[in-house]
Amino acid sequence: MNHPAHDAHYVIHVVDDDDAFRESLVWLLRARGYAAQGYDSAESFLAVCEQVLFGVLLVDVRMPGASGIELHERLRSGAIHIPTLIMSGHADLDMAVAAFRKGVDDFLQKPLDDNYLLASIDRCIARDREVKRATAGFEDASRRLASLSAREREVFDLILTGLLNKNIAERLGLSIKTVEVYRSRVMEKVGARSVLELVRFCLSAKVNP
């Protein structure tokens, strides 16, 4: 199985005002097979963050200008969701609790434990992939559902109740042949070959079957 870090789409964005620490961390990550980029401030990262689609943010909690937690909050307020690991040179339990409550993925104490750091990054990437996969599935299912006409949606809903074609025809005042045509269109548009697949589609689209 491929190491999740080897996906070139995922860049580890290291934000730290300590030049030596930042550069050594970027070097370590690249040596371990990750794509990594360094920034000396939250503001430097914010200048390019709109171009970030995949990645993990590894940011120091205390820096001149915006802090790591403030950067995380600014990104969230701008609807930019990127897994975030906060680093701190001080063992501050209250700060860690506050960071977790704001939705950061992990709180790491300096000096960093390399193995724990890499494992944490991998967890972030794995979770982010699942979220993006689920989001893509939901958006595709929603588009398919929206493509149904009003009558097709009625047939769709009645199929899910378990009614047979003749019962649907009676309910809607249609001929069985017409219902068969609508049923065929519904199944084709949502990409289902059976009622079971139709139920799975509903789960993807977050429709209560």
Side-chain angles (χ1 to χ4, degrees):
M1 184 171 64
N2 289 335
H3 194 290
H6 291 165
D7 185 339
H9 288 107
Y10 279 90
V11 179
I12 315 305
H13 302 278
V14 181
V15 184
D16 198 301
D17 63 304
D18 184 327
D19 294 341
F21 175 81
R22 182 182 67 254
E23 290 170 6
S24 66
L25 187 50
V26 168
W27 180 88
L28 168 68
L29 293 169
R30 289 174 178 171
R32 296 297 182 92
Y34 297 80
Q37 181 64 47
Y39 310 83
D40 61 5
S41 67
E43 290 73 18
S44 295
F45 179 74
L46 286 169
V48 300
C49 67
E50 291 185 358
Q51 304 168 26
V52 175
L53 298 178
F54 301 89
V56 175
L57 179 62
L58 186 57
V59 57
D60 190 47
V61 70
R62 288 190 177 131
M63 298 180 293
S67 70
I69 295 177
E70 288 171 341
L71 172 58
H72 172 71
E73 291 181 309
R74 288 190 193 180
L75 293 173
R76 288 293 179 93
S77 66
I80 298 175
H81 298 278
I82 178 172
T84 301
L85 306 177
I86 296 289
M87 303 178 291
S88 175
H90 308 277
D92 189 327
L93 181 59
D94 290 339
M95 186 183 294
V97 171
F100 282 121
R101 285 178 175 169
K102 292 180 184 298
V104 304
D105 292 82
D106 209 343
F107 193 92
L108 311 176
Q109 186 175 348
K110 296 177 179 179
L112 303 178
D113 179 312
D114 293 352
N115 291 330
Y116 183 85
L117 167 65
L118 302 183
S120 187
I121 289 173
D122 288 348
R123 285 193 295 270
C124 285
I125 293 175
R127 282 196 299 265
D128 194 56
R129 280 177 174 167
E130 287 302 314
V131 169
K132 284 181 167 57
R133 187 177 297 118
T135 300
F138 168 71
E139 291 175 347
D140 177 64
S142 296
R143 283 193 296 270
R144 289 172 180 268
L145 192 62
S147 73
L148 299 179
S149 68
R151 180 63 85 183
E152 288 167 351
R153 181 58 192 262
E154 286 182 311
V155 173
F156 172 91
D157 291 336
L158 291 173
I159 292 172
L160 290 172
T161 67
L163 292 180
L164 299 176
N165 286 350
K166 65 178 182 178
N167 303 121
I168 295 174
E170 292 171 1
R171 181 76 65 89
L172 299 179
L174 302 172
S175 69
I176 294 178
K177 184 66 176 177
T178 300
V179 170
E180 289 175 349
V181 171
Y182 277 121
R183 186 185 186 113
S184 176
R185 289 178 184 171
V186 166
M187 302 299 269
E188 180 179 356
K189 284 186 176 182
V190 303
R193 292 168 295 180
S194 65
V195 175
L196 179 58
E197 289 188 3
L198 203 62
V199 171
R200 288 175 180 162
F201 169 83
C202 288
L203 296 176
S204 296
K206 294 182 172 58
V207 173
N208 188 22

